Amino acid sequence: MPFSIQASAKGNPSLVRFEDVALRYGTGPEILKHISLQFDPGSYHFLVGASGAGKSSLLRMMYLAQHPSAGRVTLFGRDVTELSRPETALLRRRIGVVFQDFRLLDHLTARENVALPLQISGQAHGRSDKDVEELLTWVGLADHMDALPPTLSGGQQQRVAIARAVIGRPNLLLADEPTGNLDDRMAVRLLYLFEELNKIGTTVVIATHNESLVDRFPHPVTRLSVGAIAPSGEMAKTPAAGPGANPATAKSAAAVAGRESP
Amino acid sequence: MRRRRQAVPLDRDATGRYLPLLVAIMVYLAALALAGAMVASKLADRWDSGLSGALTVQLPAAGPAATEGGEGDPVAQQVVALLRDTPGVTAVERLDTRDIAALLEPWLGDAGLTADLPLPGLIAVTVDADQPPDLNALRRAVLAVAPGSLVDDHQRWLGHLLDLTWAIEAMAIVVVALVVLAAAIMVAFVTRMGLAAHEQAIEVLHLIGAQDSYVARQFQSHALSLGLRGGLIGLLCALPTLYLGRHLLQRIDSGLLPEMQLLPIEWSLLVLLPVASALVAMMTARITVLRTLARMP
Ligand SMILES: Nc1ncnc2c1ncn2[C@@H]1O[C@H](COP(=O)(O)OP(=O)(O)O)[C@@H](O)[C@H]1O
Ligand SMILES: [Mg+2]
């Protein structure tokens, strides 16, 4: 907890900041509560928790698909509830999202799906065609560039979704179970891609229920428990130097947070 | 270069098949109404300019002897002189019996006119339209010289005709306005259906950073092409109808009806109808999308 206070005291502009955030869908129960976390520019985070813990819901608030029902979410230094519709659109262009269910447009080819963010932001020129092809080749879809998503396997669709999320070089990359449909070799390859993006400054947040995958990387882990209680991201981040200690620390942080919440 | 496919696949919607047909019917009706209005306005112009600068002085019917040697009628001569001296009168022409007979021929036929039919004496007066003479004073003066005469400025008759043509024009404008309104309502309805049908794709577009105007452009360009297609079909169907109408009007062949030919500018107005229908469809789609999306959270 002191670290989180320290971070904000330093005036470090965090990219993602949740302050005592709660979320409910409609009039349903709060599926997330007392969420406080802070992701700094250039950081790399795992968001883990059992299925139904609320990982996707947390990400939804980060890509502005959902506003918190209580508390405050700040993205790129802006309170999300104060954004106009045009501002929201512009902010979303800086956020790449790999949706859990891919959300590809079925009537567009893999190539067109990947090019869509460029087209939307008005960057679609001759050069971008090459970028799209290179990226698709890199994720192993050189032979499927003109295939429609429904003709692709789950893993192939997932890779198209990943390519679409990163083509615009986002500042923030949010990936919801991005390796769920991939074999281990491809999963590692794509996590390596995220690693590379992180090295050039992209803030990466990966939600996954696959703990064994998380253990292989020395990145801070934020753990959601089914009780929808979140440990603060900063607490998990502290021992990032020692990856082995990571999950344990995060777990204890969760326990602390759990006891503190009323 | 590959053809860029629409981000929202509107061209696959069934509604796309019906909209051009409905727009075609609308444009057909609008074309007929517009053509009707243009002919009516032409009639009004013709009657207006043809008659408003003119007065007719009608002298009581004289006997056959008097009409024969018209020049000899002293009353008529006096009236002509009076009119010539009136300020604001630019021309005075006394019509002789033959002129009057020619005027009446279309109604009575040449056989019906004989010299012994008592005809009123007619004096055609052209007045300066900018500075017309005081009609009441003129009437009094003419009556003093020739009791029982009539100074007719055609206003009553003309007024009724102008009212009629004005009403035809107004009705045509109302028809066109209603047609535009109906077309806009249809396009708005189809656009709403499209927004609902493609809700998921639109959500994805928003989530990857599309502005509402980007989504609107998808619907706009689709509506534009449907509106244009429908408009062209409607116009192509209207042209034979207009041609037939013109043919029937020309057969009337009466001095009362002016040339029924539409001018090139009027034709181009009609040809612009498909452009107008395309633009109306486009703007309606745009406004509908922007307003619907703006209401979303
Ligand atoms: N759109 C929604 N409407 C109502 N409840 C939802 C919705 N999405 C998720 N939930 C509920 O919120 C909880 C968390 O779901 P989710 O965020 O998908 O968890 P996770 O991604 O960790 O599996 C679940 O109980 C789920 O049923
Ligand atoms: Mg999920």
Side-chain angles (χ1 to χ4, degrees), chain B residues 83-107:
Chain B
L83 289 168
R84 287 214 166 103
D85 290 342
T86 308
V89 170
T90 53
V92 179
E93 189 196 353
R94 182 148 179 241
L95 304 184
D96 65 25
T97 321
R98 267 183 302 278
D99 294 328
I100 297 170
L103 273 178
L104 292 177
E105 196 221 83
W107 284 276

Side-chain angles (χ1 to χ4, degrees), chain A residues 60-78:
Chain A
R60 282 172 65 79
M61 287 192 276
M62 291 186 197
Y63 57 75
L64 296 156
Q66 203 81 48
H67 282 343
S69 46
R72 185 142 76 133
V73 173
T74 316
L75 292 176
F76 297 90
R78 298 289 308 271

Side-chain angles (χ1 to χ4, degrees), chain B residues 18-53:
Chain B
Y18 298 106
L19 195 58
L21 209 63
L22 292 171
V23 170
I25 294 169
M26 298 287 167
V27 166
Y28 179 86
L29 294 175
L32 296 195
L34 260 185
M38 290 189 289
V39 167
S41 119
K42 224 181 271 289
L43 287 178
D45 281 355
R46 173 64 63 100
W47 287 334
D48 215 7
S49 67
L51 296 175
S52 66

Side-chain angles (χ1 to χ4, degrees), chain A residues 25 31 49-58 60 100 176-177:
Chain A
Y25 288 106
I31 52 112
S51 183
K55 304 182 293 296
S56 296
S57 302
L58 195 59
R60 282 172 65 79
Q100 190 167 4
D176 198 350
E177 312 272 5

Side-chain angles (χ1 to χ4, degrees), chain B residues 281-297:
Chain B
M282 184 184 92
M283 288 316 296
T284 308
R286 178 179 177 78
I287 291 165
T288 307
V289 171
L290 291 181
R291 289 181 61 171
T292 309
L293 293 182
R295 256 183 264 130
M296 282 164 62

